[in-house]
């Protein structure tokens, strides 16, 4: 007696329901990507920024509760000091610099607070070049800083506290946002390093 082959979904041209759903989902996703208007993309990025802020607030509370320094270190006091320094530096850098003299007067403080790497990246946003009769000159197109929010994401190690900064600033083309990540030493009130996310929202 020969062995009877049991029909399988593959050898009968049958596609399993889960594969059908996957194919349909893939097709819908492809159509959505192709037809997604720019406004939807901006709304999605805005939602991501908002989600980051909410998650950071939750992480901030949990980090404070779990920090081994909670009873030995004035977290609230040092966080407030850091918040004031960072908020002032970012709002000055993105919206408060309007001339070479402004930059010269604040440069040392901005570098000390933001770190050289973050400072250089933000300077590329704050400063532009323009041709003049005397050659290329610096211009500062940002008109104001609308809002800057500093949130502590992780303070389990006070010498390497993780901070998220969401800042909103304006120029003649509209309103923009950037997200800055900082690794901060709460004991010395200085940055260990950081980075600037390339998220930009044009309203």
């Amino acid at each position: 007696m020969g062995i009877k082959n049991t029909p399988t979904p593959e050898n009968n041209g049958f596609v399993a329901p889960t594969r059908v759903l996957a194919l349909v989902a893939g097709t819908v996703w492809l159509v959505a990507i192709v037809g997604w208007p720019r406004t939807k993309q901006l709304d999605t990025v805005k939602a991501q920024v908002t989600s980051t802020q909410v998650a950071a607030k939750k992480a901030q509370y949990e980090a404070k509760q779990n920090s081994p320094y909670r009873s030995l270190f004035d977290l609230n006091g040092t966080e407030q000091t850091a918040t004031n320094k960072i908020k002032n530096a970012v709002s000055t850098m993105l919206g408060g610099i309007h001339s070479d003299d402004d930059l010269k007067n604040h440069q040392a403080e901005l570098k000390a607070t933001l770190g050289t790497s973050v400072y250089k990246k933000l300077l590329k946003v704050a400063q532009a070049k323009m041709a003049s009769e005397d050659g290329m000159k610096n211009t500062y197109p940002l008109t104001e800083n609308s809002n800057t929010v500093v949130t502590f994401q992780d303070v389990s190690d006070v010498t390497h506290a993780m901070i998220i900064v969401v800042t909103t600033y304006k120029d003649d083309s509209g309103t923009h946002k950037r997200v800055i990540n900082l690794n901060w030493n709460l004991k010395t009130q200085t940055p260990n390093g950081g980075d600037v996310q390339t998220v930009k929202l044009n309203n």
Side-chain angles (χ1 to χ4, degrees):
M1 178 183 294
I3 298 175
K4 182 177 182 181
N5 291 325
T6 302
T8 64
E10 289 77 8
N11 60 32
N12 281 279
F14 175 80
V15 180
T18 54
R19 293 182 61 187
V20 172
L21 291 175
L23 290 171
V24 171
T27 302
V28 171
W29 178 242
L30 179 59
V31 171
I33 290 177
V34 173
W36 209 1
R38 179 173 174 78
T39 54
K40 290 294 184 181
Q41 294 176 339
L42 293 178
D43 288 343
T44 298
V45 178
K46 288 179 182 179
Q48 291 172 344
V49 172
T50 301
S51 177
T52 298
Q53 290 175 305
V54 172
K57 284 291 185 183
K58 180 180 179 181
Q60 178 186 33
Y61 173 78
E62 294 176 348
K64 283 184 178 181
Q65 299 304 309
N66 298 328
S67 174
Y69 301 94
R70 188 181 179 196
S71 59
L72 304 174
F73 193 78
D74 182 10
L75 278 178
N76 289 333
T78 53
E79 283 186 5
Q80 189 59 55
T81 298
T83 296
N84 292 341
K85 289 186 65 173
I86 295 167
K87 183 174 182 178
N88 180 65
V90 173
S91 60
T92 298
M93 193 82 222
L94 298 180
I97 302 294
H98 304 292
S99 67
D100 287 339
D101 286 340
D102 283 348
L103 182 62
K104 182 178 179 180
N105 292 335
H106 294 93
Q107 189 173 53
E109 181 184 357
L110 292 173
K111 283 185 176 180
T113 302
L114 300 172
T116 302
S117 177
V118 171
Y119 169 82
K120 288 181 177 179
K121 289 179 180 180
L122 293 183
L123 183 60
K124 291 180 179 180
V125 179
Q127 187 184 75
K129 299 289 184 180
M130 178 180 290
S132 69
E133 294 180 355
D134 300 323
M136 299 300 291
K137 70 174 185 178
N138 296 324
T139 62
Y140 299 86
L142 305 189
T143 57
E144 67 174 290
N145 189 285
S146 305
N147 189 40
T148 296
V149 179
V150 178
T151 305
F152 284 79
Q153 186 178 31
D154 183 1
V155 290
S156 56
D157 181 351
V158 295
T159 62
H160 290 279
M162 304 307 296
I163 299 173
I164 294 177
V165 183
V166 179
T167 186
T168 307
Y169 55 94
K170 295 181 179 179
D171 61 17
D172 290 341
S173 68
T175 301
H176 314 274
K177 285 189 180 182
R178 285 185 184 264
V179 178
I180 304 165
N181 298 297
L182 290 175
N183 183 316
W184 189 265
N185 188 326
L186 283 169
K187 287 188 174 181
T188 61
Q189 293 295 347
T190 56
N192 297 313
D195 194 20
V196 180
Q197 294 184 20
T198 56
V199 176
K200 293 189 293 184
L201 305 179
N202 298 321
N203 296 332

